[in-house]
Amino acid sequence: MWSANEDLSSFLPKSFGKGKQTAPARKNESLVVDDSDDLDPLRQFLPTSFGKKEEKKDFSAQFDKTKREDMVESKRQRVGGQENQIQLPTKTSATAESDDDDDDEHDDDASSDDGDVEEGEDNLPITHEIKLKDHHRTVSALTLDPAGARLISGGYDYEVKFWDFAGMNQSFRPFRSIEPCPGNQIHELQYSITGDTFLIVSGSASAKLYNRDGNEVCEYMKGDPYIRDMRHTDGHVAALTGGVWHPSDRQLFATSSQDGSLRVWDVERKRKQKMVIAYKSKERGGRAAATALCYTHNAKLIAGAFQDGTINMWAADGPFVRPSITIADAHQKYTETSSLVFSRDDRTLVSRGGDDTVKLWDIRNVKAPVRTAYNLDSVSPETNVIFSPDERLILTDITGTSVPKGEGYGKLVMLDRETLEVQRSMGVTQASVVRVLWNPRINQIITGSADGIVSVFYSPKYSVRGAKLCVVKEAKRQAIDDFELNRPIITPHALPMFKDDQPRSSKRKREKLRKDPKISHRPEMPVKGPGKGGRVGINEQQSVIASFSKDTMRDEDPREALLKYAELAEKEPMWVSNLYKKTQPKPVFSTEPEEEKSDKKK
């Protein structure tokens, strides 16, 4: 029995959850609870946390709909011709099976001998894919803002399209489309380091700056094409080929052009460039088109590739009299070196040549390339090369032009940085792959193809936001009264049965009216000069003098003007009076003396 002297607090739990019972020893304590299982029903009624619990939703079903088919090549494959065969590393042979599942962690644990390589392979965000289909021609430019929330694409259809991952749903439609440079293909798009503006480089000679909402901010000056020395012009005089922002200064960007010059621009100065680099080629004519450019990450060097096969580097602050570093015959002459990129240590340069090669250079010793990868087909001047976020891989595109249309795949190739061996090759679309972009913030790979498709590769496990936001949003359901007709709309009165009996063609009617002398009579023009045909001529001087005469009609009494014709109308009636002349009674008007009228007024 419980007595009043016993402590009631001994019946209450000292803590939540199961644990060891540690009851304090008291002299007046006679009841000790040793078994904590008796308090389990009481614990169920007590709160374990505060606030509303967030329900965790399972989006695995939506992610499975976008799972990519396994198109990874076998261990040995040919990437181009049959002479040079590129082998896949032996350690990556098991990765083709690991791409089919996102949750193959037990496979990694089982093969712990080569876990380092397989861990890097499994972390690639290529297991799932979405396709953004709105361009009609080749997608030649891609850029993501620094946060990875908004994608901008441009292509050969002259259009620039804006894609917002957070605002899109499963319909995958852009929220805006503009044509910034009518009639000019888009060669380069690049967001500024702050993400508030982006640069547009097109086939015209002037670059344009737009804000992130798609409104034009500035268009920069075009140079004088009649000045031969490119150092004395205020802008480019030929089509642009590339553009890049300064790595640390948001007020500066650089452009390259077919006029053979690189120009550094200040955002606030649109009428003239800040600095100009006029390259003098050793080829005949002394001028070679610039095809690509880039800055080092520390912004100490600016590199440019030219059509004579050379790659030149200058100090970013000048002087630009001669290059600081020159790589002669870096690629085949008269081919377009489409891309240059520096590593983060600013010692390694990767170039993508129009001679179907990717070369790795050490700028401390440029006599020969460190490594070269051959048979990487490229026919587009916008084909680029990039580093992976950890710089262990080099990504580039293979056009697949040797494959018949609709029967093969343009490929995305991942090369090992140290050896330039193919680590992975995957098909993207049944057309050439032109552009590739890997954003480290969201860990997603984006490609642009020649068929107008933008492909976004991601992994539900290793990617963040980006495509994952729009995949889980279902498209808006179509209402009953919300429909679109793909056939022409015919109004009822446009049907032949409702039309009047009119000739289908008015040609015969016009020819008939033309033969009528009265209907087709053209008003006679005033005769100028001497009179003819019974008409008195008038010269221009007389018409001018007549316009100077004053019009006195406003000062004339209208009653008096009409009474002037009263006597004439009575003698020679022409209209109504002439018809009723015999039957019409003679009107008699009353006449009153003026004296009588004045008496009445008084």
Side-chain angles (χ1 to χ4, degrees), residues 216-233:
E216 183 176 343
V217 176
C218 183
E219 181 177 1
Y220 295 90
M221 182 61 67
K222 178 183 177 181
D224 188 351
Y226 297 102
I227 299 177
R228 180 166 178 79
D229 192 348
M230 292 294 102
R231 294 174 296 179
H232 297 156
T233 61

Side-chain angles (χ1 to χ4, degrees), residues 431-451:
S432 302
V433 181
V434 177
R435 206 74 173 181
V436 60
L437 177 68
W438 191 338
N439 186 276
R441 188 75 177 268
I442 60 177
N443 193 24
Q444 296 178 19
I445 301 175
I446 305 171
T447 62
S449 304
D451 54 1

Side-chain angles (χ1 to χ4, degrees), residues 582-596:
K582 297 180 179 180
T583 60
Q584 186 73 12
K586 186 176 180 180
V588 178
F589 299 101
S590 62
T591 56
E592 295 182 359
E594 294 182 1
E595 297 179 356
E596 294 181 0

Side-chain angles (χ1 to χ4, degrees), residues 402-565:
S402 60
V403 180
K405 185 177 180 180
E407 298 182 7
Y409 285 87
K411 299 174 183 178
L412 176 64
V413 179
M414 302 181 187
L415 309 173
D416 183 76
R417 175 180 175 176
E418 302 298 331
T419 61
L420 288 189
E421 293 181 347
V422 177
Q423 295 289 334
R424 186 179 290 269
S425 175
M426 56 186 238
V428 180
T429 60
Q430 290 185 329
S432 302
V433 181
V434 177
R435 206 74 173 181
V436 60
L437 177 68
W438 191 338
N439 186 276
R441 188 75 177 268
I442 60 177
N443 193 24
Q444 296 178 19
I445 301 175
I446 305 171
T447 62
S449 304
D451 54 1
I453 297 177
V454 179
S455 302
V456 183
F457 298 92
Y458 72 99
S459 171
K461 186 175 182 181
Y462 300 109
S463 298
V464 181
R465 299 187 301 276
K468 294 174 64 177
L469 297 177
C470 54
V471 168
V472 299
K473 291 182 181 179
E474 296 184 0
K476 182 181 178 182
R477 293 184 179 181
Q478 192 173 14
I480 298 176
D481 55 346
D482 185 16
F483 61 93
E484 296 181 1
L485 296 177
N486 295 327
R487 52 187 173 84
I489 300 175
I490 302 175
T491 59
H493 294 283
L495 297 174
M497 64 180 67
F498 295 104
K499 288 185 177 180
D500 298 334
D501 295 335
Q502 296 180 355
R504 294 183 179 179
S505 176
S506 59
K507 183 178 179 181
R508 294 183 179 179
K509 185 178 180 180
R510 290 196 305 269
E511 293 177 353
K512 186 178 180 180
L513 294 176
R514 185 60 62 189
K515 295 178 181 179
D516 191 340
K518 292 184 178 180
I519 298 176
S520 61
H521 176 68
R522 181 184 179 185
E524 295 180 354
M525 301 295 292
V527 179
K528 294 182 179 180
K532 59 182 178 179
R535 301 177 63 191
V536 179
I538 183 174
N539 55 21
E540 296 180 357
Q541 184 179 3
Q542 290 177 342
S543 61
V544 173
I545 294 174
S547 63
F548 291 159
S549 62
K550 185 179 180 181
D551 188 8
T552 59
M553 185 178 292
R554 182 180 294 274
D555 302 332
E556 187 178 0
D557 188 6
R559 185 173 180 276
E560 293 180 358
L562 292 174
L563 288 177
K564 287 192 300 184
Y565 302 98

